């Protein structure tokens, strides 16, 4: 059995969700062969030197215990935690996955992504994404003191929430994946079943691309004390609510 989660956005502001995820790692997830976190595990990540933050430390320790119990722990970075690096991965006993990542299983093929790259109508975000993913920008940012990086991240979070409200008012589709970009993505990945998060619009979509039926499973974000995981039992996917 394989489990997928995304968009937990854990921090000290979300004690219920932090506890729920720790319970999940110590319980439900132990029955799996592998766990895939598809981005935005944390509210934000300003560098691997922030591993001492109490919530980061607790989650990393629990991931490591899960890995040591024999479950393969795989973490993809999201738009909030794209600065997670090898020091994080080593501490968590996790493998950092590229985005996108093709998961080939004996019985099925999946393509996994956080999902933000396909939100191509959100021009402001894509411009910010291009800039903040450049190695030069990241190197300059990582040189700043930790406290200053936290202040930048908090300012970006506030700006993001305000901008999202404004964008949603302008056009609802701005906040979702672009249909054409998604079809191209599915074509480029051999029509594999697509699993992603980011949009906070959990749903299972049926795409017909070049006459081929392709499923797209959008994971739910964790909120209001509840989470969701997607379960692959070797034959089919299903959603499981976590409370
Ligand atoms: O994350 P979410 O769901 O709220 O919204 C995303 C997009 N927003 C983001 C920003 C993140 O929320 C905050 C990231 C914190 C990371 C900290 C570490 C590193 C920082 C420095 C890196 C080197 O990703 C949002 C999308 C939405 O998804 C839906 O797809 O709309 O996009 C935006 O908010 C982008 C804004 O619209 C434009 C941002 C311009 C920023 C210009 C600099 C602001 C100055 C603040 C710093 C002093
Ligand atoms: Mn996201």
């Amino acid at each position: 059995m394989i489990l997928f989660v995304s968009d937990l956005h854990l921090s000290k502001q979300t004690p219920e969700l932090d506890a729920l995820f720790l319970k999940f790692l110590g319980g439900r997830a132990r029955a799996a062969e592998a766990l895939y976190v598809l981005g935005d595990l944390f509210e934000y990540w300003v560098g691997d030197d922030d591993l001492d933050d109490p919530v980061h430390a607790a989650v990393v320790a629990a991931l490591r215990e899960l890995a040591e119990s024999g479950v393969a722990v795989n973490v993809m970075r999201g738009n909030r935690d794209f600065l997670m690096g090898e020091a994080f991965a080593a501490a968590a006993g996790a493998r950092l996955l590229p985005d996108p990542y093709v998961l080939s299983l004996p019985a099925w093929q999946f393509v996994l992504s956080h999902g933000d790259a396909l939100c191509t109508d959100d021009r402001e975000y894509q411009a910010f994404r291009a800039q903040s993913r450049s190695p030069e920008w990241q190197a300059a940012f990582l040189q700043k003191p930790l406290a200053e990086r936290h202040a930048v991240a908090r300012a970006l979070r506030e700006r993001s929430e305000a901008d999202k409200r404004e964008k949603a008012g302008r056009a609802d589709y701005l906040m979702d994946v672009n249909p054409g970009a998604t079809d191209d993505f599915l074509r480029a990945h051999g029509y594999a079943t697509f699993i992603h998060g980011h949009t906070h619009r959990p749903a299972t979509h049926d795409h017909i691309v070049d006459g081929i039926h392709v499923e797209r499973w959008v994971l739910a974000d964790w909120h209001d004390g509840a989470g969701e995981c997607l379960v692959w039992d070797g034959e089919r996917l299903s959603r499981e609510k976590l409370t």
Side-chain angles (χ1 to χ4, degrees), residues 7 9 39-40 78-80 114 116 125 197-200:
D7 300 281
H9 307 128
D40 291 357
N79 60 296
R80 306 281 193 89
H114 180 55
D116 57 313
Y125 172 62
H198 180 67
T199 61
H200 306 177

Side-chain angles (χ1 to χ4, degrees), residues 9 40 43-46 79-83 116 119 122 124-126 128 131-133 137-138 141-142 149 151-153 155-157 159-161 163-164 167 174-176 198 200:
H9 307 128
D40 291 357
E43 170 67 5
Y44 61 76
W45 192 265
V46 294
N79 60 296
R80 306 281 193 89
D81 49 18
F82 61 88
L83 286 174
D116 57 313
C119 297
D122 191 342
E124 291 105 318
Y125 172 62
Q126 294 301 335
F128 167 70
Q131 187 184 35
S132 59
R133 300 295 170 100
W137 223 63
Q138 293 191 2
F141 181 76
L142 290 170
R149 279 177 275 147
V152 171
L156 277 170
R157 288 292 308 121
R159 167 82 182 262
S160 182
E161 292 304 322
D163 282 13
K164 281 195 293 186
K167 287 170 194 166
L174 279 178
M175 306 301 289
D176 206 348
H198 180 67
H200 306 177

Side-chain angles (χ1 to χ4, degrees), residues 107-120:
W108 208 251
Q109 237 192 33
F110 297 95
V111 60
L112 315 176
S113 177
H114 180 55
D116 57 313
L118 292 175
C119 297
T120 54

Side-chain angles (χ1 to χ4, degrees), residues 95-226:
R95 177 166 66 126
L96 283 178
L97 298 181
D99 182 357
Y101 177 76
V102 175
L103 172 61
S104 275
L105 300 174
W108 208 251
Q109 237 192 33
F110 297 95
V111 60
L112 315 176
S113 177
H114 180 55
D116 57 313
L118 292 175
C119 297
T120 54
D121 293 308
D122 191 342
R123 299 292 187 83
E124 291 105 318
Y125 172 62
Q126 294 301 335
F128 167 70
R129 186 178 195 273
Q131 187 184 35
S132 59
R133 300 295 170 100
S134 89
E136 297 76 28
W137 223 63
Q138 293 191 2
F141 181 76
L142 290 170
Q143 266 171 18
K144 296 180 196 296
L146 186 58
E148 193 180 327
R149 279 177 275 147
H150 273 282
V152 171
R154 280 195 299 269
L156 277 170
R157 288 292 308 121
E158 274 177 32
R159 167 82 182 262
S160 182
E161 292 304 322
D163 282 13
K164 281 195 293 186
R165 282 190 291 275
E166 188 272 325
K167 287 170 194 166
R170 223 190 308 159
D172 183 63
Y173 67 82
L174 279 178
M175 306 301 289
D176 206 348
V177 297
N178 173 278
T182 302
D183 282 359
D184 289 345
F185 179 90
L186 297 173
R187 195 174 281 125
H189 293 92
Y191 314 98
T193 297
F194 181 20
I195 305 176
H196 72 86
H198 180 67
T199 61
H200 306 177
R201 294 171 178 216
T204 308
H205 299 273
D206 294 297
H207 292 257
I208 305 293
V209 189
D210 307 332
I212 298 166
H213 173 219
V214 190
E215 282 186 1
R216 176 168 66 94
W217 290 71
V218 186
L219 287 162
D221 58 312
W222 290 35
H223 59 89
D224 295 329

